[in-house]
Amino acid sequence: MGKGLSLLLLVLVVCYGVTMAMTYKEEKEWEREREREWREEKGEGAGKGGDWFLFPDSKPVMKTDAGEMRVVKSIGGRIIEKPLHIGFITMEPKTLFIPQYLDSSLILFVRRGEARVGCIYKDQMVERRMRIGDVYHIPAGSTFYILNPGEGQRLHIVCSIDPSESLQLGTFQSFFIGGGTYPTSILAGFGPETLSTAFNVSVSKLTGILRQQQQGPIVYLTESRAPSVWTKFSQLQEQDRLKHLKKLIQEEPNKEEEQQTEWSWRKLFDSFFGSEDKNIEDKAPDCYNIYKRSPDFMNNYGWSIALDGSDYSPLKYCGIGIYLVNLTAGSMLAPHVNPIATEYGVVLRGTGRILIVYPNGTLALDAKVKEGDVFWVPRYFAFCQIASREGPFVFFGFTTSSRKNRPQFLVGSNSLLHTLSSPELAAAFGVTQKRMMRIINAQREAVILPSPEAAPPGEEDGKKRVNFEAVPKVIKNLGSEMIMGFDEGGA
Ligand SMILES: *[C@@H]1O[C@H](CO)[C@@H](O)[C@H](O)[C@H]1NC(C)=O
Ligand SMILES: *[C@@H]1O[C@H](CO)[C@@H](O)[C@H](O)[C@H]1NC(C)=O
Ligand SMILES: *[C@@H]1O[C@H](CO)[C@@H](O)[C@H](O)[C@H]1NC(C)=O
């Protein structure tokens, strides 16, 4: 029997024998209800065309009582050179996101809790323990599972979903390996006779397995619901599992149910680990913890981290960069431009404002954002982020390039205007050079600037949009010395 089939067998076993919790129909109804809620929430406060850059709330794509996955779908179209969807996975303690592969590649980021992610790497199953702040890449077509081993802790994962290799059937397509009636395993399509021959087991044993799973893509692993053999297995340290597997197959099973498990484990064991203890160390890439990295830029007003292919090699292959910014209360990431990448951002903590400017110098977006909001900024577009006065504003996200993305700052002591500073620049604004210099040199800080006047006050006006055109003024009114003259309109 080939490794491939054994692999399928492994995951079949993993998903075997759980009880029904939520039917497909309920699931659909739940989705529709969420849609309605979402529309109602969104109905108010949504501005004009600018909200294009602020993604609507995420929509559920999978949901069971053990967890859910929600996705914010990229808008697509010509302006985005590489669409990325943003996914949010929430899993209750002791649950498993069952083995599947996708037509899209993922970068997982653990926002809260702890996860064990199993993934096939070069025909070997490897498992990674992911802690808060860890990122990990799962290539399209690679089978993986996610396990929340936590005792009392929910797992929150934010992920990028890169559909560039997708089949374009939907936002993304899952192919469940394990499964039953819901979700349906891709194996089921072959029919019992073909499978019986392929697996070399009786039809009755096979159909028993292929009809068990009705609980959905995220399942509980508690004693009462999952096969105890798997529960025990999942509690072990990685190095102990091999030993445990050995013990398992040596135990003489007596019940019919256990027999099914037994043959599966034996085959799994034989084909994966050989008959002797093999060093299960692997060469697959490890996780990367973004919180442990020291900031690439830091001053009194905040810090930023950018992770590219030279820091974490899996990013090189998927062509995606990762960043994390922490602005202290009332600070601003100075107006800047990404010359090579579209930027997708997720607010992790606090509230703030995002301003984005159209190429013609008019304001495209001025929105107050809060935890969980997702925004995107096309490359070449000028934009800035401002933390509210009430506390730090932390956002994290993905850029569509794994090369060093050197943002070009338009304001601040390292700005483009400083670099350009010359009679020609003054002439371009129609002012004297002396006057130009006075304006440019007034701001002594770089990158992250103090900006209490521009910062939104905080929670209390969640719906009110601040009527404020700071960035266009920076660009248009340089000549009249308004470079940092943020006059706050309606706030
Ligand atoms: C199928 O299983 C039987 C006994 O269970 C074994 O004798 C036979 O060699 C197996 N065939 C293959 C192709 O593995
Ligand atoms: C952001 O910075 C604040 C201090 O300004 C700190 O308390 C907070 O833990 C930081 N957040 C992250 C995610 O590092
Ligand atoms: C600037 O461009 C945007 C987007 O193309 C457009 O909606 C807006 O009307 C333009 N504004 C002006 C003043 O040309």
Side-chain angles (χ1 to χ4, degrees):
M1 174 176 290
K3 262 194 174 175
L5 268 185
S6 309
L7 184 60
L8 297 183
L9 206 53
L10 153 70
V11 286
L12 272 176
V13 171
V14 164
C15 306
Y16 148 79
V18 278
T19 51
M20 164 142 170
M22 186 169 197
T23 65
Y24 189 66
K25 191 158 152 272
E26 282 171 72
E27 152 88 0
K28 283 280 162 213
E29 268 165 20
W30 188 85
E31 263 179 42
R32 272 196 293 275
E33 190 183 306
R34 277 301 305 162
E35 283 252 15
R36 269 199 304 278
E37 275 173 33
W38 168 69
R39 291 229 172 78
E40 278 160 18
E41 276 168 29
K42 265 311 192 201
E44 227 262 277
K48 306 170 291 297
D51 277 2
W52 195 42
F53 298 104
L54 196 61
F55 284 118
D57 286 354
S58 56
K59 292 184 197 171
V61 290
M62 296 172 193
K63 154 94 183 168
T64 72
D65 62 347
E68 68 170 335
M69 178 168 184
R70 309 174 64 87
V71 169
V72 171
K73 195 171 181 257
S74 175
I75 284 145
R78 270 189 303 179
I79 193 170
I80 303 186
E81 82 283 12
K82 179 168 177 150
L84 283 185
H85 310 309
I86 305 294
F88 296 86
I89 300 170
T90 307
M91 289 169 62
E92 298 296 326
K94 292 190 183 302
T95 53
L96 172 74
F97 201 161
I98 70 172
Q100 60 181 306
Y101 58 90
L102 303 181
D103 65 348
S104 304
S105 74
L106 300 181
I107 293 174
L108 306 177
F109 166 73
V110 176
R111 192 177 159 200
R112 276 186 205 124
E114 209 177 293
R116 288 217 302 264
V117 177
C119 185
I120 305 300
Y121 180 82
K122 293 191 176 160
D123 288 338
Q124 276 220 319
M125 189 177 91
V126 299
E127 199 175 76
R128 291 288 174 262
R129 182 171 282 260
M130 293 183 71
R131 296 191 169 82
I132 191 161
D134 274 343
V135 295
Y136 191 61
H137 173 239
I138 296 171
S142 174
T143 302
F144 71 97
Y145 63 79
I146 302 172
L147 194 133
N148 177 4
E151 280 295 325
Q153 201 173 24
R154 264 202 191 146
L155 168 66
H156 288 277
I157 288 178
V158 180
C159 61
S160 68
I161 303 168
D162 173 3
S164 53
E165 293 166 83
S166 83
L167 302 170
Q168 322 262 319
L169 297 175
T171 311
F172 65 92
Q173 181 68 48
S174 292
F175 299 80
F176 290 103
I177 307 288
T181 51
Y182 170 58
T184 306
S185 164
I186 50 168
L187 281 173
F190 293 105
E193 283 75 28
T194 311
L195 286 183
S196 159
T197 313
F199 279 109
N200 192 23
V201 295
S202 73
V203 170
S204 64
K205 273 181 181 169
L206 261 178
T207 48
I209 277 188
L210 285 173
R211 288 195 188 135
Q212 289 286 340
Q213 224 290 56
Q214 299 174 314
Q215 204 185 5
I218 304 176
V219 298
Y220 275 105
L221 288 172
T222 51
E223 289 289 341
S224 59
R225 301 201 195 202
S228 60
V229 67
W230 166 246
T231 307
K232 276 189 217 133
F233 183 64
S234 69
Q235 285 162 352
L236 295 172
Q237 300 290 337
E238 193 180 5
Q239 62 267 32
D240 291 335
R241 282 183 211 192
L242 193 68
K243 284 186 210 129
H244 190 71
L245 274 174
K246 227 173 190 173
K247 215 169 87 220
L248 269 174
I249 61 163
Q250 280 156 2
E251 279 164 11
E252 268 309 304
N254 31 30
K255 281 186 281 171
E256 162 66 17
E257 228 182 15
E258 275 176 11
Q259 251 162 36
Q260 288 186 359
T261 316
E262 189 266 342
W263 62 252
S264 310
W265 285 118
R266 187 188 296 280
K267 287 197 166 120
L268 159 74
F269 180 81
D270 287 347
S271 57
F272 264 88
F273 303 104
S275 38
E276 79 280 0
D277 271 283
K278 209 164 68 184
N279 190 355
I280 51 170
E281 226 171 71
D282 60 70
K283 295 198 174 65
D286 222 329
C287 309
Y288 190 100
N289 196 290
I290 195 164
Y291 289 160
K292 289 195 182 131
R293 185 184 164 98
S294 49
D296 298 298
F297 177 85
M298 190 172 190
N299 65 12
N300 288 338
Y301 310 104
W303 51 260
S304 70
I305 286 174
L307 207 62
D308 59 43
S310 62
D311 304 304
Y312 183 47
S313 62
L315 297 179
K316 216 169 356 195
Y317 306 116
C318 58
I320 290 175
I322 295 174
Y323 69 89
L324 177 67
V325 176
N326 188 344
L327 304 178
T328 60
S331 295
M332 161 198 276
L333 187 55
H336 63 288
V337 171
N338 286 329
I340 60 169
T342 296
E343 175 170 325
Y344 295 82
V346 180
V347 179
L348 295 184
R349 191 176 153 201
T351 56
R353 290 172 59 199
I354 315 276
L355 292 106
I356 306 176
V357 176
Y358 281 125
N360 63 12
T362 59
L363 186 68
L365 173 79
D366 176 359
K368 242 191 115 167
V369 290
K370 56 180 190 316
E371 189 171 316
D373 282 346
V374 184
F375 60 91
W376 69 282
V377 187
R379 58 184 167 167
Y380 317 133
F381 276 49
F383 66 111
C384 72
Q385 293 98 336
I386 307 169
S388 74
R389 283 175 234 160
E390 65 174 9
F393 180 44
V394 184
F395 54 98
F396 157 91
F398 304 96
T399 59
T400 57
S401 167
S402 61
R403 290 184 288 148
K404 279 239 176 307
N405 175 33
R406 298 180 196 283
Q408 302 289 301
F409 285 89
L410 302 171
V411 182
S413 64
N414 67 334
S415 79
L416 214 61
L417 301 187
H418 270 273
T419 319
L420 286 176
S421 182
S422 66
E424 287 77 13
L425 181 69
F429 282 100
V431 295
T432 63
Q433 201 181 352
K434 204 171 143 209
R435 200 164 163 199
M436 193 72 215
M437 293 309 288
R438 223 171 38 234
I439 295 165
I440 292 176
N441 291 333
Q443 176 57 264
R444 299 204 172 86
E445 296 290 342
V447 183
I448 302 178
L449 317 174
S451 62
E453 301 82 12
E459 242 358 288
E460 92 283 352
D461 66 341
K463 293 227 171 65
K464 198 168 71 183
R465 296 273 151 160
V466 187
N467 171 24
F468 162 99
E469 294 192 65
V471 173
K473 274 182 185 141
V474 167
I475 290 165
K476 287 189 296 193
N477 299 336
L478 267 177
S480 46
E481 295 206 14
M482 283 193 65
I483 183 156
M484 294 304 285
F486 296 108
D487 48 354
E488 219 164 322

